[in-house]
Amino acid sequence: MLTLQNCLLLSALVFATGVFGVIARRNALIVLMSVELMLNAVNIAFVAFARFYPGTSQSVAGHLEPAKAPAGHIFVLLTMAVAAAEAAVGLAIVLAWFRNRKTTDTEEMRNLRW
Amino acid sequence: MSHSVLRETFFVIFAFLAIFGAFLTVSRRNPMYSAVSLILFFGAVSGVMMILSAPFLALMQLMVYAGAILVLFLFVIMLLALREEELGEERPWPLQLLTGIGCAVLFGLLAAAILRAPSAPAPAVGGDFGSPAEVGRSMFAEWVLPFEIVSVLILAATMGSVVLAKKHLDRPEPAEEPADTHGPGGGH
Amino acid sequence: MVVVGVFGVVMQIVPLLVWAERRICAWVQDRVGPNRVGPFGLFQPLADAIKLLFKEDVLPDGVDRFLYFLAPALAFFPAAMTATVIPFGAPIMVGGDLLHLQVCRGNVGMLLFLALTGLSVYGIAFGGWASNNKFAMLGGLRASAQVLSYEIAMGLALVSVFMTSQSVDLNVIVADQTGTWLGFIPKWNAVKQPIAFVIFFVAAFAETNRLPFDLPECEAELIGGYHTEYSSMKFSLFFLAEYAAMFSSCCMITTLFLGGWSFPGMPSGNTGVLFGFLTLGVFFAKVLVLLFFFILVRWTLPRFRFDQLMHLGWKSLIPLSLANIAATGVAAQL
């Protein structure tokens, strides 16, 4: 049911799935998608912790009050920005690679230059 | 059905959809189907975030992941237009099995740690918990520095992808080439 | 009740739009247009629908079955969902309860609209990919690039609107646009934020794949683009989605920039049923004017080339909207 532990278990399972995708697959596109899975697993954990332990924040008046937007929420937004940057650069690399070698196989990516 | 029961039911549904989507993503042979499964996964995670009282993040999840990142993936998949025989070979199955066992162990370790952690009941939160206004206030009051650093990262990523996407790195683009009046194509 | 009402309106407006499109097109081109079925040809869409239902549903060779069937549904879903976030009229007091003429209330309505716009590309992209046809594929490819590019300009134009209205809640944005300057200039965001209005308007054409930006279907080069291989009801779902998206966009433009259901000289705090219907009428009058403009543009402007489209999006609209945000910020501090 809706407990912190279940949310974290969901996050861990998705993370493990992502790790499997990165290691076991050879298609570069699917590897990149698995990285997105792992980043999302982290997001789930952040949001769950933010919900169950919101922490405090300084109000406008200066005293501490329960946070309405915990740090976890901000971190998820930052993760999203990093994920977007990672996807853009990763896909650009895959495209450049495909243009030169006509393959998306990660096993073929052995050379830094040729 | 009371509000909290509905909440729990939807959490279970979304959680299973997310797991199902994640499994499909890593197991499809064709990247197109992985992308389709990833839509399911992103949608389900967005639902989980909505249930965890983070409405702004839930919609950002849909907007950024499903609306932008995945469209980018889709664009590249369609641009490459790989046929079935061009997909390349997969790793041998014993290796895949071994990886699977390793990831199961990883999950087991994480689960053991998670299950030992104390479980706290969710504190009651107000209606504006995680709302766009509150997240924005927190972002620009307490977290300005990380925000600015991320903007630098995005700038670097933008420039990096533009450079990578250029056709010829060692030559300038044809439009920038100095006019060659002697060459066959250089007459103006 | 409101849910059923909104869904009914979206479903009913589409045939009317198709009829209006054909009549206005005929008017622009100095023809008569469909005028045989019913008065002024009003039942023509009905005849078309019956024809489409009875057409043979061709399944071309080598299609990717799952995605081929999924694509029309994926195209229609976001287009129909978008209408749920729009406040169609002033809340009405019915038997002691306030009835809101908006399905999905809450402070994130605007973001839901943006998320759904982003999702609308999947139907087209999958349809193009699954059809096993190079023209359909090119259409899908163009759609994904186009929607991605113009969503940025659209979102950035919205940011400046949020800055003037200090909220992402559509009800607050509408309330912010009531009243007038000097007694006759309405305080609409179209007046406060003219640049954002133009950018959003242009981006809306691109997002709904309407001419002059209808490159994903572009019949002159791509036959029919992503829906080349679709027939019968699956084709009509794509058709329906396009017009539903056009209607939703016009509703959104009205809400964001043309004062929504408010009108100059409106008394505030009224919750009568008659007043509710009056605001509903005002809203739809504005939407119909916009729809007329959308159709008129389609039949008067030529189509852009794809590189021109990308140049307009990335090199004009996005820098312009960023400058607009900066200017709005400076103006707010003055």
Side-chain angles (χ1 to χ4, degrees):
Chain A
M1 303 311 97
L2 189 52
T3 62
L4 177 59
Q5 288 177 341
N6 282 349
C7 293
L8 292 180
L9 283 179
L10 170 66
S11 163
L13 188 53
V14 172
F15 187 82
T17 316
V19 172
F20 173 81
V22 170
I23 299 175
R25 298 304 303 267
R26 280 175 61 171
N27 189 316
L29 287 164
I30 293 178
V31 169
L32 278 176
M33 286 187 215
S34 305
V35 174
E36 298 294 337
L37 281 184
M38 288 156 73
L39 286 167
N40 259 274
V42 175
N43 284 355
I44 297 172
F46 269 131
V47 173
F49 275 120
R51 177 69 184 81
F52 287 89
Y53 296 100
T56 54
S57 72
Q58 207 140 31
S59 72
V60 185
H63 51 82
L64 289 177
E65 58 177 17
K68 285 174 180 155
H73 285 191
I74 310 297
F75 273 84
V76 171
L77 284 179
L78 300 182
T79 316
M80 283 177 186
V82 173
E86 174 255 313
V89 176
L91 287 172
I93 292 173
V94 171
L95 264 186
W97 186 266
F98 187 80
R99 206 158 34 219
N100 287 322
R101 288 296 173 91
K102 298 280 171 273
T103 177
T104 55
D105 195 335
T106 48
E107 289 288 301
E108 303 282 326
M109 298 188 184
R110 292 160 194 269
N111 306 328
L112 284 175
R113 64 188 302 271
W114 57 87
Chain B
M1 209 186 274
S2 79
H3 193 65
S4 75
V5 175
L6 205 62
R7 205 170 251 266
E8 306 253 308
T9 319
F10 270 102
F11 173 71
V12 173
I13 293 174
F14 281 133
F16 277 105
L17 278 181
I19 294 166
F20 183 60
F23 280 173
L24 282 183
T25 304
V26 297
S27 62
R28 294 304 91 190
R29 177 154 162 72
N30 194 325
M32 196 64 175
Y33 276 100
S34 289
V36 177
S37 322
L38 214 51
I39 300 180
L40 178 69
F41 172 77
F42 287 149
V45 170
S46 167
V48 169
M49 287 180 171
M50 198 61 116
I51 288 166
L52 289 170
S53 313
F56 178 61
L57 292 184
L59 287 169
M60 286 309 276
Q61 167 88 15
L62 273 189
M63 232 156 92
V64 176
Y65 279 109
I69 295 181
L70 205 54
V71 177
L72 210 58
F73 270 102
L74 217 59
F75 184 77
V76 171
I77 293 170
M78 289 172 78
L79 203 62
L80 300 185
L82 294 173
R83 283 189 302 276
E84 194 63 39
E85 62 271 16
E86 287 176 325
L87 284 176
E89 54 190 283
E90 296 297 331
R91 290 191 202 286
W93 69 266
L95 207 60
Q96 292 207 355
L97 188 69
L98 212 64
T99 318
I101 293 169
C103 290
V105 170
L106 171 69
F107 172 67
L109 287 174
L110 287 171
I114 289 166
L115 290 175
R116 278 170 47 178
S119 194
V125 289
D128 56 352
F129 183 83
S131 70
E134 291 300 331
V135 175
R137 195 165 296 142
S138 171
M139 181 111 174
F140 293 109
E142 295 175 58
W143 303 95
V144 184
L145 191 62
F147 177 80
E148 293 295 338
I149 293 172
V150 160
S151 69
V152 175
L153 172 83
I154 288 182
L155 180 66
T158 313
M159 294 195 297
S161 359
V162 169
V163 170
L164 280 169
K166 273 196 167 187
K167 279 225 163 68
H168 304 290
L169 282 181
D170 45 351
R171 271 185 275 158
E173 294 280 299
E176 295 159 14
E177 236 166 338
D180 179 11
T181 46
H182 305 295
H188 286 287
Chain C
M1 194 174 113
V2 180
V3 178
V4 176
V6 169
F7 191 67
V9 165
V10 174
M11 296 275 61
Q12 294 317 310
I13 203 101
V14 170
L16 278 178
L17 270 178
V18 177
W19 172 80
E21 172 116 81
R22 295 180 63 176
R23 288 296 289 204
I24 293 170
C25 151
W27 172 66
V28 170
Q29 299 174 342
D30 205 10
R31 292 186 286 115
V32 180
N35 66 346
R36 293 295 148 144
V37 196
F40 305 108
L42 259 175
F43 296 147
Q44 183 68 37
L46 202 64
D48 286 349
I50 293 171
K51 181 197 74 175
L52 275 169
L53 268 172
F54 283 105
K55 282 251 174 170
E56 187 194 356
D57 194 358
V58 182
L59 188 68
D61 240 11
V63 297
D64 188 309
R65 274 173 175 256
F66 178 67
L67 287 179
Y68 184 78
F69 281 93
L70 187 68
L74 266 185
F76 184 65
F77 165 75
M81 279 281 286
T82 319
T84 56
V85 300
I86 291 159
F88 284 98
I92 306 171
M93 194 67 92
V94 181
D97 285 329
L98 213 52
L99 177 69
H100 291 273
L101 299 181
Q102 183 185 13
V103 177
C104 192
R105 296 199 310 122
N107 51 16
V108 288
M110 196 52 232
L111 299 170
L112 187 61
F113 167 77
L114 279 176
L116 287 171
T117 325
L119 293 184
S120 65
V121 67
Y122 287 119
I124 298 175
F126 288 156
W129 189 81
S131 290
N132 189 28
N133 176 322
K134 65 181 81 151
F135 295 112
M137 175 81 137
L138 275 174
L141 205 56
R142 284 180 176 186
S144 48
Q146 174 177 333
V147 170
L148 203 60
S149 310
Y150 277 78
E151 211 187 298
I152 303 173
M154 192 180 230
L156 288 177
L158 285 177
V159 169
S160 45
V161 174
F162 298 156
M163 284 166 81
T164 32
S165 298
Q166 304 270 312
S167 177
V168 293
D169 187 341
L170 286 172
N171 290 305
V172 178
I173 292 176
V174 170
D176 187 57
Q177 298 180 68
T178 52
T180 52
W181 286 299
L182 307 172
F184 67 97
I185 307 171
K187 282 188 175 174
W188 291 349
N189 278 336
V191 183
K192 292 186 215 165
Q193 287 282 358
I195 299 173
F197 177 57
V198 171
I199 293 170
F200 191 90
F201 206 78
V202 174
F205 276 94
E207 293 281 327
T208 50
N209 298 322
R210 291 281 299 183
L211 234 129
F213 305 129
D214 71 335
L215 290 138
E217 36 194 305
C218 193
E219 64 270 22
E221 314 160 17
L222 296 183
I223 311 174
Y226 57 91
H227 57 52
T228 304
E229 296 287 358
Y230 281 89
S231 48
S232 189
M233 269 323 272
K234 287 205 273 299
F235 167 74
S236 47
L237 257 185
F238 273 124
F239 203 63
L240 217 60
E242 188 187 323
Y243 282 91
M246 186 166 120
F247 171 69
S248 307
S249 301
C250 286
C251 287
M252 202 36 104
I253 296 172
T254 307
T255 309
L256 285 171
F257 292 101
L258 301 178
W261 45 262
S262 70
F263 53 92
M266 183 183 70
S268 64
N270 198 330
T271 53
V273 175
L274 269 180
F275 181 73
F277 277 106
L278 180 63
T279 55
L280 208 60
V282 169
F283 184 84
F284 276 103
K286 290 174 182 173
V287 171
L288 286 181
V289 171
L290 280 176
L291 285 172
F292 177 72
F293 191 72
F294 260 66
I295 294 173
L296 207 58
V297 164
R298 168 161 180 188
W299 296 106
T300 42
L301 287 189
R303 182 179 291 126
F304 274 52
R305 250 187 5 241
F306 196 68
D307 59 320
Q308 292 171 330
L309 175 86
M310 285 292 141
H311 280 278
L312 179 70
W314 286 96
K315 293 186 179 168
S316 307
L317 293 186
I318 292 177
L320 195 62
S321 51
L322 281 172
N324 191 35
I325 291 175
T328 310
V330 170
Q333 290 302 316
L334 289 181

